[in-house]
Every structure is written in C-alpha cells, then in structure tokens.
Amino acid sequence: MADGRDIAPTGTAKTENTGVFTMANAKSRVSSAMRRGDIAMALGFIMILVVMMFPMPPWLLDMFLALSISFSVLILMTALFIQKPLEFNSFPTILLVATSLRLALNIATTRLILGHGHEGTDAAGAVIQAFGGFLISGNFVIGIIVFAILVIINFVVITKGSGRIAEVAARFTLDAMPGKQMAIDADLSAGLVNEEQAKARRKELEDESSFFGSMDGASKFVRGDAVAGILITFINVIGGIIIGTAQMGLSLAEAAETYTILTVGDGLVSQIPALIVSTAAGLLVTKGGLDGATEKAVFGQISGYPAALGIAAVLMGGMALLPGIPMIWFVLLSALFGFLAWKIGKTQQKAKDVITDKAASDIAAENAIPVPDEPIANALRMDYVRLELGYGLLSLISTERGQKLTDQIKALRRQLASDMGFVMPSVRIQDNMQLPANTYVVRVKEIEAGRGDLRPNMLLVMDPRGEEITLAGEKTIEPTFNLPAMWIEQSMKEEAMFRGFTVVDPQTVITTHLTEVIKDHMPELLSYAETQKLLDELDDEQKKLVEDIIPGQISVGGVQRVLQNLLVERISIRDLPTILEGIAEATAFTRNSTFMTEHVRSRLARQLSDVNTNAAGVIPLVTLSPEWEQIFAESLVGTGEEKQLSMPPSKLQEFINKVRTTFERLGMMGESPVLLTSPGIRPYVRSIVERFRPSTVVMSQNEIHPKAQLKTMGQI
C-alpha cells in the first residue's frame, strides 16, 4: 500500500503536468498566429464573408456597424495628419477593405430588415434604430431627403472630384516619369548625388507613379459604393413594402413607414462612413503638391497674407450693417479676422526688422574693424582658375532653388580627380561690376578662357537631335559647345522634358563650361608643385618605384612633361604607377619627352582601348593608307630624337581635306571613329589633326589592346 500511495501521486502529477504543457502550447500557438499580420488579414476577410453569407443577430450587427464608422474616422484622421501622400500609399488597399466591409454590412442589414422589419424599428439593431429614429426624428420623408443629399454630396461632388484629380495626377505622373528618371541620371553623372541617393529617388519616383495609378482605380470603389447604396435602399423599400403587406399582414401605410425608416436608417449608417472615406480620399489626392500635415499646409498659406484677412474683416463688417442680417455673428467674425490680420502683420514686420537690424549691425561691425593694408606681395599672386560673375548672377551662389554653384564646383573637382587623375585647383569666385549683369567669365591664370550669358531665373533647353526647339522662350547659343538653345520659364520644365529636350539650370551651364575649359587647359594647370604632390600621395607600395627613377633616371620636371603630353589628348593620368613604369622603361633608350610619352601610351593600351570602345563593344577605326604612311615617313627629316615633319604645303592641305571629309561623313552617320596610324608617325599626324579637329583621337597599332574588338569604318 505504501508503494501504491507513492506511485499514485507520481502518476497523477505526471498526467497533470502533461495537460498543463499541452494547453500552454496551444495558447502559445494561437497567440503567435494572431501576431502574424497575414493571418490576421485573412481572418478579417473571412469575417467579411461570414457577414455576407450568414444571418447576424442585431447585437453583433451593432458591433460591426460601430467598427465600420470607427474605421472610416481612423482613415480620415490618418489622411489629415500625414506629411505627404506616399506615407499612406496603402490607402487603395484599405479603401477596398472598408468598401467590402460596408457592402457586407449592407447585405446583413438587408437580410434583417426584410426578414424582421415587421417586428418594429429595432429589428435591425440599435444603431440603425438610432439613425432611423433620432437623426431623422422618425419622419421617413426627412430621412429620404437627408439620405439623398448625402448620396449627392458623396457621389456627385466629392467622389467625382477626387476621381478626376486622381486620374489627372496619374496621367501627368506617368507622362513625366521618363523625364524625371533622366534628371536623376543626369545628376548622378554630374556627381550631384551618389548611387544610394539616386536609388532612393528612383524608388520614390516608382512609388509615386504606382500610388497615383492605384488611386485612379481606387476612386472607382467609392463611386461604385455610392451607386450600390442607392440601389440597396431602393430595393429594401420596395421589397419591405411588398413583404409587409403581402406576407406580414401590415397595412400599406404601416409597411411604408416601418420599412422606410429602417431602410433610410441603414442607408445613413452606410453612407456616413462612405462620405468620411471619400473625404479622406479627396484629402489624399489633393495633397500632391503640399508638404507637411494638412492643417499646417492650409493654415500656413492662408495666414501668410494679413492683407487678405483685413479685407475679409472689412467685408464681414459691411455685411453686418445690412438690414435683417444677424449682426452679432458678422461683427464677431469681422473682429476675429481683423485681430488676426493685425497680429500676423505685426509678427511679419517684427521678423523683417530683426533681419534688417542684424544686417545693419553686421555692416557696422565690418566698418568698425580697421582694414589692414594688403601686402604688396599679394599683388604677385595669381589665381589659377577664377570665375567672375556679373551682379545679376550673384544669386546663383546662395540660391535656395536647386543646388548652389559652389556645391556643383566641389562635385566637379571630385569628378575630375576620379576621371582624369587630375586634381583641379581651387576656383576663386568673385563679382565683377564691369561685366554685364548676366555675364560670367572663366579665367585661367588671369587670362580669359571662356564667357557666356545666363538668365538666372530661367532654364536652358537644348534638343539633342539638333532640331528646332518649338517652345516659347528666348533663343540663344549654348556657351560651351556653341549649340542652338533656348531660355524658358521654370514652369515649362515638365513639358520640355516630356518632349525629350535636355533641360539644365544656370548653375549647370556654368559648371559644364568650366569643365570643358579645365579639360582644355589641364596641361597648363599641371604645375611642378602639383606633379610633386601627385608623386607624394602615391601609396606606400609605390614609393620604391618613385625612388628608383627620380631623380636618378628622370627629374620631376621630366615626369611633369610626360603627364602634360598625356593630358593634352585628354588621357587620364590616374593610373600613375603604370605611367611611371613606362617612363622607367623608356629612359633606357631615350630622353625625349615625346618618345617617352609614346612608350607610355603603349603601356596604357588597355585603358585607351576601353575609353574608345563604343556602345556596341568595338573600336571604330579609320586607317591611314600605305601611301600616306609612306608620305609621312619620307617627310621626316633629321636623325634620332631630332626628327621633324617637313611636308609640302600642298600635300598637307590635301591630307587635311581628306581627313575632314571622311570624319564629317562618318559623323553624320553617328560615328566617332579613331584615326589609326603606325607608331613611328603617330605624334606627327596628331600634331596636324589637332589643329583642325582637336577632338579626334589618333592612336597607333601599339596602343590597341590585343583583346579589343575592331571595326574599320574607312580609310584616308
């Protein structure tokens, strides 16, 4: 027995523990399932289907009707407080859920009204009874009129207007999408944004187009809901009267009053949430051009003009004097508007006075400080690159619209260092009152290298196809490449981009011009000190190479001349270790900087081939015929490193004409080929071609990488 008493409690305890574990496990699984959003959403739609298919008791229907009203109010409040429409980009889905819920409740209430309406006005629940009794005072005629007005407001005014705005917004958003994507790509290429920022802007653009497209379709839900409400109300009234008189033994008057009150109450219960959700949809689509919450955007703009409030106050005061008008309300409104106008005007004036006082104090402080005499030695200093602006362009330096000019120049310096391996000198920006108001001048070592005229508050438009620009604006010539262009107003930007034109702001015009000027003068700007700085900033692994060749085999000045020769033909010197290796090899057989440059170019064959490969993956070539190869070879006079080209003027002119004709013909076909020569005559051919076609690339066979794909376009 002792053993039995010992065993029994143990067994019982084991059984109880197992049961407790199983119940806890089940509760945990249910709790975990409820925490999952996808399961909760699925259960919600199942609940809507249940409401449609099965009869609901009145108390449960009251709960669902209260849920529908609360859900619609929540949607409206969310639409009011969001900062921008994309923060509520799930609205079309939520609208579908809300519409489905209301339609399901319409079916459930129809079932109760037609099945139990003869029992009294509480047959479909307390919520419908309250709307049918209290809100319309038991008079079904008033209820029908109120219901009709709500339907008209919802269907004709709010829903139709919201749908039209959503349709237009979707159309213009989709039409402007290619232009906006091109603008993002242009900013990325110019270095104004990095890759992550470009991805974020593209993602926002895609979300915006998807959102407005979805809103265009979602507006049809609201319209269909309003139509369904009208039809359901009509069916309930007619069906209720037939059932009440034919089946339940009610008189025609009793059936009409009972079923009409119930039906109108049901219609009001469904149309009020529908009106709230329609208002939320209207708020959402009309916030397309506003930033911040709705009340900040609306009240901030209305209250920004005290003169408007003052005129409204005077008008309200005048209306208060009209005979028969309740004076007290108009006088109160006039006093309120007048007080707001005075208060806001005083606040704005105070802010202006603070700014004026601060500016005056800054000027006084500057005048109080004695200006020391500038040392005469400063007059000897030279600005390597200087940008002079007329007084009308000074706003470009500190403009709030777009990116400042100084920021673009910083991005330009970084881009040149990445592309060319050339560290661009700092650009000094100063005003020049002697220039016309809208003129700028770029100076390199104090000498003018380029100038142009801008319109600071307009945009420059160019047609990449070379056709005439048909927009309204001021015709001009683009200052960098001397192409036909036009200045247009800011408001025409979207239309110009939609037509495929290239649109740039004045800051970008200056930056582009500055870029080309710097590239043209890079050899001149690469000074001895800049060359030494490039050598000093090499990685520690390359220091031994520098020590081996400098100054034993070549001086820093010799390296400078080789780098300048490369920059003359716009060849990147970023791969400085390979260039130094080529110089080290060339010093074994020559001291001539031209011949050393040619050897370095052969070491850079992979880079040169890659730069001149077109989109099809091939290098388009125009070859020099054997006859011209021989003519150039025979025209070289002198020996060794003293060779010079001595060609008769007639032959020289013939060569120039043939090159110009061939390259212009291929240029009209959209090709920019490379002129290919033998290594021995390449520098001499280039010295001739650069005088009339400086952009034409001249390469030798040694500079073509073995893996490069070639395509011969013609022969000289």
Side-chain angles (χ1 to χ4, degrees), residues 128-143:
I128 291 178
Q129 183 183 23
F131 276 81
F134 176 73
L135 294 183
I136 63 177
S137 303
N139 190 331
F140 66 89
V141 177
I142 297 176

Side-chain angles (χ1 to χ4, degrees), residues 389-394 435-440 452-457 487:
L389 302 175
Y391 67 87
L393 303 180
L394 297 180
L435 292 175
N438 294 331
T439 300
Y440 69 90
D453 291 326
L454 302 178
R455 301 296 178 266
N457 296 320
W487 290 105

Side-chain angles (χ1 to χ4, degrees), residues 3-298:
D3 292 342
R5 284 193 298 270
D6 290 339
I7 293 173
T10 304
T12 303
K14 184 175 181 180
T15 303
E16 290 176 356
N17 289 338
T18 303
V20 171
F21 173 77
T22 303
M23 291 176 62
N25 188 23
K27 290 179 180 178
S28 176
R29 290 183 179 180
V30 172
S31 177
S32 176
M34 292 302 294
R35 283 196 298 267
R36 290 184 55 181
D38 53 353
I39 294 180
M41 180 65 75
L43 291 176
F45 276 103
I46 291 174
M47 178 192 71
I48 293 176
L49 293 176
V50 169
V51 173
M52 287 184 180
M53 297 172 61
F54 297 100
M56 292 285 111
W59 64 269
L60 186 57
L61 187 61
D62 289 342
M63 185 195 74
F64 282 126
L65 291 173
L67 175 63
S68 175
I69 297 173
S70 303
F71 190 33
S72 61
V73 173
L74 177 61
I75 294 173
L76 177 62
M77 294 299 105
T78 304
L80 275 173
F81 290 114
I82 59 171
Q83 301 296 312
K84 53 184 180 180
L86 286 183
E87 293 182 8
F88 201 12
N89 58 3
S90 62
F91 182 82
T93 304
I94 294 175
L95 182 61
L96 174 61
V97 174
T99 304
S100 301
L101 177 60
R102 284 198 306 275
L103 293 176
L105 292 176
N106 278 331
I107 294 174
T109 54
T110 297
R111 185 182 292 113
L112 283 177
I113 290 172
L114 297 181
H116 302 277
H118 62 283
E119 298 175 3
T121 56
D122 61 345
V127 174
I128 291 178
Q129 183 183 23
F131 276 81
F134 176 73
L135 294 183
I136 63 177
S137 303
N139 190 331
F140 66 89
V141 177
I142 297 176
I144 292 175
I145 296 173
V146 172
F147 174 76
I149 292 174
L150 284 177
V151 170
I152 291 172
I153 293 173
N154 188 16
F155 181 69
V156 178
V157 182
I158 298 179
T159 303
K160 189 173 182 180
S162 301
R164 180 58 178 166
I165 293 175
E167 180 183 352
V168 173
R171 183 187 305 169
F172 278 93
T173 300
L174 293 175
D175 289 346
M177 192 173 180
K180 292 181 179 180
Q181 288 177 336
M182 291 173 61
I184 296 172
D185 295 337
D187 290 346
L188 181 62
S189 301
L192 305 181
V193 295
N194 56 32
E195 186 66 30
E196 293 300 324
Q197 291 172 328
K199 287 182 180 178
R201 289 174 59 179
R202 290 193 191 99
K203 180 66 168 58
E204 183 177 358
L205 184 60
E206 293 173 2
D207 291 344
E208 182 180 350
S209 62
S210 300
F211 171 73
F212 283 108
S214 300
M215 285 300 299
D216 184 22
S219 62
K220 306 299 187 296
F221 293 153
V222 182
R223 179 177 300 180
D225 187 19
V227 174
I230 298 173
L231 295 178
I232 290 173
T233 302
F234 179 76
I235 292 171
N236 284 353
V237 171
I238 301 302
I241 293 175
I242 294 173
I243 292 174
T245 55
Q247 296 182 359
M248 302 303 173
L250 299 178
S251 65
L252 181 61
E254 292 175 342
E257 182 175 359
T258 302
Y259 284 100
T260 302
I261 290 176
L262 284 172
T263 302
V264 170
D266 175 36
L268 292 175
V269 170
S270 63
Q271 281 302 310
I272 289 177
L275 180 63
I276 293 174
V277 174
S278 300
T279 306
L283 284 173
L284 207 58
V285 296
T286 54
K287 273 180 65 70
L290 302 176
D291 290 328
T294 303
E295 87 287 348
K296 293 181 180 179
V298 174

